[in-house]
Amino acid sequence: MKKILKKRGKKAGLSPGSLVHIGEATGKAAAIEVVEYDQAKLVSLRIDSKETQLAIRKVPSVTWINVSGISDIALMQRLGESFSLHPLVLEDIVNTDQRPKVEDNGSYIFLVLKFISPTSSAVATEQISILFGENWLISFQEGLDGDPFAVIRERLKNEQGRLRSSGADYLAYALMDVIVDNYFLVLEEIADRIEDLEEELMGTPTPQTLAGIYRLKRELLLLHRSVWPLREVVSSLIRRDSPLVGEFSVTYLRDLYDHTIQVVETTETLRDMLSGMLDIYLSTVSNRMNGIMKVLTIIATIFMPLTFIAGLYGMNFKHMPELELEWGYPAVLIFMLLIVIGMCIFIRRKRWL
Amino acid sequence: MKKILKKRGKKAGLSPGSLVHIGEATGKAAAIEVVEYDQAKLVSLRIDSKETQLAIRKVPSVTWINVSGISDIALMQRLGESFSLHPLVLEDIVNTDQRPKVEDNGSYIFLVLKFISPTSSAVATEQISILFGENWLISFQEGLDGDPFAVIRERLKNEQGRLRSSGADYLAYALMDVIVDNYFLVLEEIADRIEDLEEELMGTPTPQTLAGIYRLKRELLLLHRSVWPLREVVSSLIRRDSPLVGEFSVTYLRDLYDHTIQVVETTETLRDMLSGMLDIYLSTVSNRMNGIMKVLTIIATIFMPLTFIAGLYGMNFKHMPELELEWGYPAVLIFMLLIVIGMCIFIRRKRWL
Amino acid sequence: MKKILKKRGKKAGLSPGSLVHIGEATGKAAAIEVVEYDQAKLVSLRIDSKETQLAIRKVPSVTWINVSGISDIALMQRLGESFSLHPLVLEDIVNTDQRPKVEDNGSYIFLVLKFISPTSSAVATEQISILFGENWLISFQEGLDGDPFAVIRERLKNEQGRLRSSGADYLAYALMDVIVDNYFLVLEEIADRIEDLEEELMGTPTPQTLAGIYRLKRELLLLHRSVWPLREVVSSLIRRDSPLVGEFSVTYLRDLYDHTIQVVETTETLRDMLSGMLDIYLSTVSNRMNGIMKVLTIIATIFMPLTFIAGLYGMNFKHMPELELEWGYPAVLIFMLLIVIGMCIFIRRKRWL
Amino acid sequence: MKKILKKRGKKAGLSPGSLVHIGEATGKAAAIEVVEYDQAKLVSLRIDSKETQLAIRKVPSVTWINVSGISDIALMQRLGESFSLHPLVLEDIVNTDQRPKVEDNGSYIFLVLKFISPTSSAVATEQISILFGENWLISFQEGLDGDPFAVIRERLKNEQGRLRSSGADYLAYALMDVIVDNYFLVLEEIADRIEDLEEELMGTPTPQTLAGIYRLKRELLLLHRSVWPLREVVSSLIRRDSPLVGEFSVTYLRDLYDHTIQVVETTETLRDMLSGMLDIYLSTVSNRMNGIMKVLTIIATIFMPLTFIAGLYGMNFKHMPELELEWGYPAVLIFMLLIVIGMCIFIRRKRWL
Amino acid sequence: MKKILKKRGKKAGLSPGSLVHIGEATGKAAAIEVVEYDQAKLVSLRIDSKETQLAIRKVPSVTWINVSGISDIALMQRLGESFSLHPLVLEDIVNTDQRPKVEDNGSYIFLVLKFISPTSSAVATEQISILFGENWLISFQEGLDGDPFAVIRERLKNEQGRLRSSGADYLAYALMDVIVDNYFLVLEEIADRIEDLEEELMGTPTPQTLAGIYRLKRELLLLHRSVWPLREVVSSLIRRDSPLVGEFSVTYLRDLYDHTIQVVETTETLRDMLSGMLDIYLSTVSNRMNGIMKVLTIIATIFMPLTFIAGLYGMNFKHMPELELEWGYPAVLIFMLLIVIGMCIFIRRKRWL
């Protein structure tokens, strides 16, 4: 199962702003990709993380720098210096146990987001940090689960697309939109698994059903932690009168906000559904126990008296007149039959069959 | 059972504003119906969805265009162009997994609503989108469950009716009123089924009772998702100072708002009721188990000692003086009777009977 | 049990403002009673609902018109016209499934309230509508449960009373006070029944205890629906700067508000109490099951080994040396006794007795 | 157990402001004690409740009048007149089922509070009403549980104390502080009892443990009703710009507010703790049932097959070759032993022992 | 287990501002450590708690006085006088059952915080009080669990560190940061223990698992009491326009606020997780009971009929023709075999194996 918390233990006691990577690392070398685009042109290049001096920000077209591999502390330090980021911002980027948030720094806006896709391995919740200013945007992630923004790169190739004709704020929106779309995919998968569990539950639930319910509940709890603050992030982007977020993008952000609310509400609905299922499971187990107990009680109710009677005439007393009677044996058999019939009527009355 | 979520998977990664129909399609051809009315006249015509160039908006009377069949993307595209709708609006209309909402665009108000009727097949939750401006209103739906607005069309025929003498805003109110009235009908049906289940519960509940409780709980959860945001929609229509919503209609909208609150509160009450019933069910099952166990225990408590005594005198020891006694057998029978009486007293004391 | 919802089905699809009575009807003819009073005089007369032309409003003294029998639609229509009420107001009066609310119309204030008394038959929740203006007040109810305002009529006879010297707003307060006082009486009765159930619960709870808990819980849920909005009604009467509500009455309304809060909080407390009782019930049932199982297990633990040994020496093998021994039988008896003692020690250790 | 509600039934239908004592009465004669103090002097005298004409309010020193015995309606009426109190205020003082509240009357502030001490008999929740003006304070209570303000009287004797040098507002604060301190004592006692119950729960819980949990839960519910509104009372005293509450006292009231919050939060925490304990109790009972069932099943699993085999060779068929064999009996004994061993292995595998 | 409440009983009835130490005392002598630092120098000295006259506040560098041993009331009294603290402030410092809070006194800010570290003995929740003004800070604690601020002292030695170049407000932030970091460590430990319990739960849960769940739940409840008010404390430090808190520190406090929110949300998530685990535990116990009952029922179902038949032919009737038949014995054996086979088919059908 996914870890509940990422260990930040190694950070305790360090001065704030200390760069310590918290979270899982890919183990691969960091990769930096720079894309420059405007309506007319689209240039894309990969930069070696070891040597470069990054300071490419003075062009009129939009520059998008995507950094995969935030566990490379030395690189992050260098990037922090070239972009002159606040030490706390840099710390937040590499500490992947951050809560989603937005910070407006005047010259740039800093976003921390969480990326989950249904295909990602169970452990990985990718933290994606986005910084964007006038006409530039830098995105940071570890890249645990491939490239979440491949679809954006694809869309950028379309010269007629809104992306190419818009600024860095729209790019930021587009990246966020990809993240929220993936939440929908994850929720859909969870909903599918809930429907499967419902079918099991209405049929013959097993302890595996129970474990399945627990696992989904846990997943939704952890998902809730990423999704709930996201609501605030988007809403404060809309309300904030930053010149960095244009009116055009705000329209789209409002749409995104609706989606976020829907993700939050769906998460709640699914959790309520799972709670209901747990109650049903417990009731079903009790019902089944009732069924088993009924069989046991029916068996015991019928055979205990019979066995006693048989035992009675198995006693070795010298003087037991019934034993001498010629019709004693058939009489006892008939008596036993009457007992069985009586018991069956009793059981039928109790509605056990 | 009704699907929990509609699949929007095919949309992930697409640029926002892309037109993809999400939800169930009727498979029938789209139908467009145009109604023009004022106090004096009422004209109604059906338009072929294939050919028409729709731009009929410059008349002083109210024009109501009702489009059934939003799964026809090509048509929607064309309609979007003729009415010059924002791509996001068009996207929201065809994506039927939308959250109810209201958007004020200056020149028109855009409403997304959910229609459920007690007669609709289980799967169908129809999404109804309404756009209305100065003296026009366009409504969109897939038409999964016939024509929800037939009653309005009927009322329009009444020359003295408020509908004929009012504007497009009152028509919008009337459509919303129909939707909310149907929520009441659905809630009444659920309340009826709850009362049936209550009767079962107080009589002899079965696993079917349990499944019934679960199904209703699930339905209310899904209903809650449509109803809760509706509250906000109506309230923001009232508070909004749009010149498109006249004072006359606001009075009626306030009444509608009261109804919406009542729908929300009733949904809550019914959910609480179902939760209470589940607790009762569990307790009842436990009670019944107790009953079964009591019978088993009574049977065992009476017959085990008797069977033992019978077994005792069935032993084949040479020297068992009791066996030789003439009154041995009746003595044992009387002793057994005493045991039975003693056990009955014990059981009576424990209040098991 | 009381119906959860009143059927408003027959209203669906009708134009808003259509007069349809929803709720139970007494079947008796409607009765109109007019009381005119000031410090000096008190005139009271009954008017025939069939003929009268009601327009008595121009006197300086306070006029209180009380209408019993809102199911008489023709009468209501006529009253609506003579008092020139808004169609929605009239609709709300006859639709008794309304939510408590207050509406300020400028020239009059319109209140919808719910009346429950501990003596009323289970089905009846009476909806009381009150309209009051400068120096007049009209109250409407069906009169399912007699005359809720008899105490007020009695108090009016007291010339020194505050009622006689105050205006219509104080009369409205007095009517609301009667309604809230009755809530206290209902809650007291429920509290009494809860205390009875608590005693049962701590003694020997039966399935009837469970049913009792469920019934009270259900009643409180339905009560909550009437009480919760009442809070808003009173508070908005206080905050509203209507010239129709004088400063003198506001002091009394504030007192009423405190009472309303107390009713709401008491309802919550009683619900929490019932939830706690349900948990206790479930635990008690489990405990009792434990008790039954213990007895069964003790019986089986003692007699099964004994029966086996008796059976052993009941075998008919030719060569069973023990059977020949003279002291075989007493030895077996002693052995059995030892087993019983051992089992008793085992059971004592497990603390089952 | 403490009554859930105090009966106010006898008040229903009476005109508001009618003086009816609701609650328990001591049955003793009312006592009035007047204390006058300033930095220099301290005069204390007891007044006979029958004769006095109380109007002592024109002195510059602080006058504290403490009335024990609010059930003496005649006295209360007279006091109301001498201090010219509003009828609703007087009604609130004698109706001890009041919700804690504060009312600012301009010339005096009126407080209703609830006093509970751990030593008070279970039934008594004393309602204490405090009125204070410029340099006077009147406190009312029934005196069910002795004199809650003895400590204040003691502290007043200290000439250097803050009480002697401060005004009536500080005295009001001091009285409230005593009340809140007693809440802490009650909570501490409850916490102690919870810790005892926890120990029982982790050891061998009995049905008494369950009853104990229920009783504490109930007590906290009733406590919550007194404590929750108290928060509001203190906070509104702080925020209110009454000239009657000096800046000096506000500092102390803020401290009191912190304590009140702590009382509320502790009440919540203790309730959550008790809920957790109930779950544990239920689980423990189930666990114990499992233990009992295991023993029963083990006994049955071992002895049923053995008893059957013994019964088999107890049959009286003429032709049963095994019975004739010399080693038949020991062979059967060994076979039985093997069965026992096999069953033990099976049981061990199922981890029942 | 940790005590739920600290006893403040001995305080009840005392005048507010009375100095009484509430909480556990180390029993060691109090220790005072004074650190003076600025960018250039760092002076640190230990002062004897018995003799010193502390009034060192007029230097331009930052002075940090750390007092361990607040249970030394005489010392606290003296310190209160030398720093001229309000009696209520002094009272709050020595009463360690205080709620976390912030108070702005104009000339200094007063903070009450709670320190927990994963290594601290179970009983100790250290209350830390911080007062800071222009360029001085005094911290008070009992020192139950060593020196929580050792890391700060260490960091102060770094001349390049932000601490050395900043004022007393940054020092206050740094101390709070240490406290919040320790909350994360405690939560991580709890999360680890939850993951262990989850594994047990999915494997073979024991009553120890249950006790573990309860203990963690209890710990989180108590933790919640410290953490929840901390949120308010930090947020009100940020919002407050005190000249004592510089803009530079506010940036860092905002970061701290994010961490506090995360601590609160994580506490909630962990509590929800534990609730879910309890449900699973209960279901698992029920499941296991089902398993046991099945075995018992299978055994009884197979052997009871067999034993009855054996008993039947063990009867001693004179005339039992079957007993004389040569093939009687094998026929009965075969009949018994058929019964066993039939029962096995029945059991297989019921899916018990």
Side-chain angles (χ1 to χ4, degrees), chain B residues 315-331:
Chain B
M315 293 196 296
N316 297 322
F317 282 100
K318 278 268 157 64
H319 306 278
M320 289 178 71
E322 299 99 316
L323 296 181
E324 315 297 323
L325 301 169
E326 205 158 330
W327 44 267
Y329 177 52

Side-chain angles (χ1 to χ4, degrees), chain D residues 162 198 262 265 293 318, chain E residues 16 97 99 218 293 324:
Chain D
R162 257 187 302 274
E198 272 180 333
Q262 210 175 349
E265 286 185 0
M293 293 304 301
K318 278 266 157 63
Chain E
D97 190 29
R99 201 174 166 263
R218 192 186 195 273
M293 292 304 301
E324 316 297 321

